[in-house]
Amino acid sequence: MEKKDLKIVFFGTPEFAVASLDKLVGNGYNVVGAVTMPDKPAGRGHKMYQSPVKEYAVAHGIRLLQPVRLKDEEFVEELRSLNADLFIVIAFRMLPEVVWQMPLMGTFNLHASLLPRYRGAAPINWAVINGDKETGVTTFFLKHEIDTGDIIDQEKIAILPSDNVGNVHDKLMELGAELTLKTVNSIVDGTFTTIPQDKLLKGEAATPAPKIFKDTCRIDWRKSCADIHNLVRGLSPYPAAWTELGSHDTDAPVTMKIFTTSPCGICPETSLPGELFIEDNHMKVACGDGHLIEILELQPAGKKRMTAEAFLRGAHLSATVRMK
């Protein structure tokens, strides 16, 4: 089959998916439809938000489908009418079987981890939070259980000590686009092979990557300096780790997001987890393992993101203040 004869329907929503869609279009593949989330109100003005995949599809004249429910008969029939040979899913909802079994050449997903590591909604975050030294992207054919299908291909990258989840996301977005193209090329050529994930697990459990909630993001100062630093990296710039700055008096604590930290030495022997040390416009906090971590960038509730030095110039903190 020639690439121009292959009919593809692309499922995706965020910018991460657009990079792969653009790679396919730019390399001459025939994307006959794009499926994305319905428009929804967002922001203070409740302006209708259009997904990045929709914006791309409209700009490039790709037929657009925005179903509310993926099992709706009207949507399924419209999808079937496209007569696609292959479905590609990137950063989208879980598809019902009636959809992913539709194309003759199958449905594959691009996942932002080295499966079977980090199955779930937040694979990039958890790789950084857990202090992994490498991650990558995986293409696999869909099956009933989420992120469990047979692997087609993978590519790896290093997670650098200076990386946060934003950096890793952007690198995986570009790497994923290349792998998506490589995978489609191999399907067209008939040269692809697959491997069941169970063979890679060798009897061990897969690593989960559950959805990130607000409580996930709260810093527990009783943990080690390394764990706290990796939590901050794994949530920066979004949704961001957070903590409360409070004192022993009756003042209400101030909630603040923490974007950048740096391990910076050993605590005084009598310090407690969360104790704050301010020295020459530097904010250092005692961690549970007896080490200090410096806060470099933060955002107090209701204010803009700023350096710790800028915050301290206007904060006038008392001697009893500490992180909670």
Side-chain angles (χ1 to χ4, degrees):
M1 177 183 287
E2 297 292 329
K3 65 170 61 177
K4 62 181 177 62
D5 298 322
L6 180 73
K7 295 181 180 180
I8 297 171
V9 171
F10 187 92
F11 296 73
T13 295
E15 182 185 2
F16 188 92
V18 172
S20 293
L21 178 56
D22 184 57
K23 183 68 70 173
L24 293 170
V25 172
N27 280 271
Y29 277 106
N30 182 19
V31 181
V32 297
V35 184
T36 192
M37 62 181 286
D39 298 353
K40 63 180 182 180
R44 293 181 180 177
H46 297 287
K47 182 179 178 180
M48 294 302 289
Y49 168 81
Q50 298 182 351
S51 78
V53 164
K54 176 178 179 176
E55 292 177 348
Y56 184 94
V58 171
H60 291 80
I62 300 171
R63 184 170 174 178
L64 185 69
L65 293 82
Q66 294 182 273
V68 175
R69 287 175 292 275
L70 297 173
K71 290 184 178 180
D72 278 356
E73 186 175 336
E74 183 178 347
F75 164 68
V76 172
E77 287 305 313
E78 185 177 8
L79 194 60
R80 188 174 283 115
S81 72
L82 297 176
N83 295 313
D85 305 293
L86 179 69
F87 289 174
I88 300 172
V89 184
I90 303 177
F92 194 66
R93 291 176 281 170
M94 187 174 179
L95 299 185
E97 184 175 352
V98 67
V99 172
W100 60 260
Q101 284 198 341
M102 191 179 297
L104 291 176
M105 301 180 82
T107 298
F108 81 80
N109 177 255
L110 173 75
H111 188 72
S113 80
L114 297 172
L115 289 172
R117 289 187 64 78
Y118 300 116
R119 292 175 177 170
I124 309 177
N125 298 91
W126 285 108
V128 181
I129 290 170
N130 289 338
D132 288 8
K133 304 301 182 185
E134 70 174 12
T135 186
V137 284
T138 302
T139 51
F140 66 96
F141 284 114
L142 262 61
K143 61 186 296 186
H144 291 284
E145 297 80 13
I146 189 167
D147 297 337
T148 61
D150 292 353
I151 290 172
I152 307 167
D153 207 349
Q154 292 184 326
E155 294 288 348
K156 298 179 181 180
I157 61 165
I159 300 177
L160 304 177
S162 58
D163 280 334
N164 62 21
V165 75
N167 304 137
V168 178
H169 169 279
D170 292 349
K171 288 189 280 189
L172 290 181
M173 180 172 64
E174 298 305 320
L175 187 66
E178 295 292 343
L179 185 61
T180 297
L181 178 62
K182 180 183 175 186
T183 298
V184 176
N185 287 342
S186 71
I187 290 172
V188 170
D189 297 340
T191 57
F192 73 93
T193 58
T194 61
I195 181 170
Q197 291 190 39
D198 287 346
K199 285 191 175 182
L200 299 176
L201 284 170
K202 299 177 181 178
E204 298 179 358
T207 313
K211 187 176 180 180
I212 301 290
F213 294 98
K214 184 177 180 180
D215 285 348
T216 314
C217 303
R218 182 164 192 165
I219 298 172
D220 181 353
W221 297 103
R222 297 168 297 180
K223 291 190 174 182
S224 71
C225 178
D227 285 347
I228 293 170
H229 180 58
N230 288 335
L231 180 72
V232 172
R233 293 170 60 220
L235 298 170
S236 179
Y238 182 83
W242 64 277
T243 188
E244 290 182 334
L245 181 66
S247 61
H248 299 303
D249 55 29
T250 57
D251 292 341
V254 175
T255 300
M256 59 175 59
K257 294 180 178 179
I258 309 296
F259 295 99
T260 314
T261 55
S262 177
C264 62
I266 306 297
C267 299
E269 289 186 7
T270 58
S271 60
L272 298 173
E275 189 169 348
L276 179 63
F277 299 89
I278 301 171
E279 303 172 356
D280 299 325
N281 286 324
H282 291 271
M283 292 180 68
K284 300 177 182 180
V285 187
C287 304
D289 62 349
H291 287 75
L292 287 168
I293 192 167
E294 182 173 1
I295 297 174
L296 302 176
E297 289 185 288
L298 54 85
Q299 183 178 9
K303 297 185 179 180
K304 64 180 182 180
R305 179 171 170 172
M306 65 185 75
T307 64
E309 182 179 359
F311 170 74
L312 289 173
R313 283 200 297 265
H316 307 298
L317 299 179
S318 69
T320 59
V321 73
R322 66 187 302 270
M323 298 296 185
K324 297 183 177 181

